[in-house]
Amino acid sequence: MYRENLRIAVVLGGDHRGRTGPRVSSWFLDLLTASPGVEIDVLDVAEHRGDGHGTPSELFSASVAAADGFVVVTPEYNHGYPGPLKSAIDSARREWFAKPVAFVSYGGMSGGLRAVEQLRTVFAELHVTSVRTSVSLHNAREMFADGAVSGERGAGAAAAVAEMLDQLTWWALSLREARDRRPFPG
């Protein structure tokens, strides 16, 4: 799909203390980097704490404002998404408006689906269009045990990423054109 140099911000919402989060993030970023016409900003929630008390920095908000669309990469913790991710999302408001978001989630049996469903309601309040197709990595710890995903599961996951990116691209281009023609009210 034609992408016209879209700026996509990838929001990494996971914990770096474990092995799974960095492996999932690296795998996804490798796939996204291979997409032509996409400029990528990586917004690692752990690196955007401006005052040392968990408040994301102004750089995070500026990156959100500059993006045409977003992919949130998140684990599921206790049937939800991580608290630092919520703080990061809440640190910006208008910067999110009238842009699309897609999700890559990971976890145990649910693959992070409960975290994504909660995030969809949060982003709806910020006037963000949620891309329906998401990538859900079930039993991610074992899936990425050797560092990379391979075989049938790897091919299926990569195909899900491609489908999600096609939809995100469509929404990002459409909403960018709409914002250029008429600013979003609010």
Side-chain angles (χ1 to χ4, degrees):
M1 174 175 265
Y2 184 62
R3 292 189 163 88
E4 288 187 44
N5 292 324
L6 288 172
R7 174 165 251 133
I8 301 298
V10 179
V11 181
L12 304 179
D15 186 351
H16 293 293
R17 292 178 293 190
R19 291 184 313 216
T20 307
R23 288 180 178 176
V24 170
S25 298
S26 177
W27 167 81
F28 175 71
L29 288 169
D30 286 347
L31 289 174
L32 184 58
T33 301
S35 295
V38 176
E39 297 174 29
I40 304 166
D41 287 331
V42 177
L43 306 178
D44 189 337
V45 169
E47 295 176 3
H48 289 280
R49 297 174 193 235
D51 62 6
H53 299 289
T55 305
S57 68
E58 290 180 19
L59 177 60
F60 185 88
S61 293
S63 295
V64 170
D68 294 308
F70 310 96
V71 178
V72 174
V73 180
T74 186
E76 180 178 312
Y77 295 142
N78 301 318
H79 290 225
Y81 56 92
L85 177 56
K86 177 70 162 115
S87 293
I89 292 167
D90 289 346
S91 72
R93 179 143 178 84
R94 291 184 178 279
E95 295 89 347
W96 295 106
F97 286 10
K99 297 176 183 179
V101 66
F103 302 97
V104 174
S105 64
Y106 57 97
M109 290 297 279
S110 76
L113 290 173
R114 294 172 290 217
V116 169
E117 288 308 310
Q118 291 175 17
L119 284 165
R120 288 184 195 282
T121 61
V122 170
F123 279 111
E125 284 298 310
L126 292 168
H127 306 284
V128 176
T129 299
S130 174
V131 173
R132 191 66 205 144
T133 297
S134 62
V135 177
S136 177
L137 304 169
H138 303 268
N139 297 316
R141 185 171 293 167
E142 71 181 43
M143 188 175 181
F144 287 88
D146 296 329
V149 183
S150 60
E152 196 173 310
R153 281 185 83 182
V161 168
E163 181 180 340
M164 179 197 70
L165 289 177
D166 281 347
Q167 291 178 16
L168 179 67
T169 297
W170 187 90
W171 278 108
L173 288 169
S174 297
L175 291 173
R176 182 172 69 184
E177 290 170 4
R179 288 189 316 274
D180 287 347
R181 284 192 197 124
R182 187 175 325 122
F184 185 79

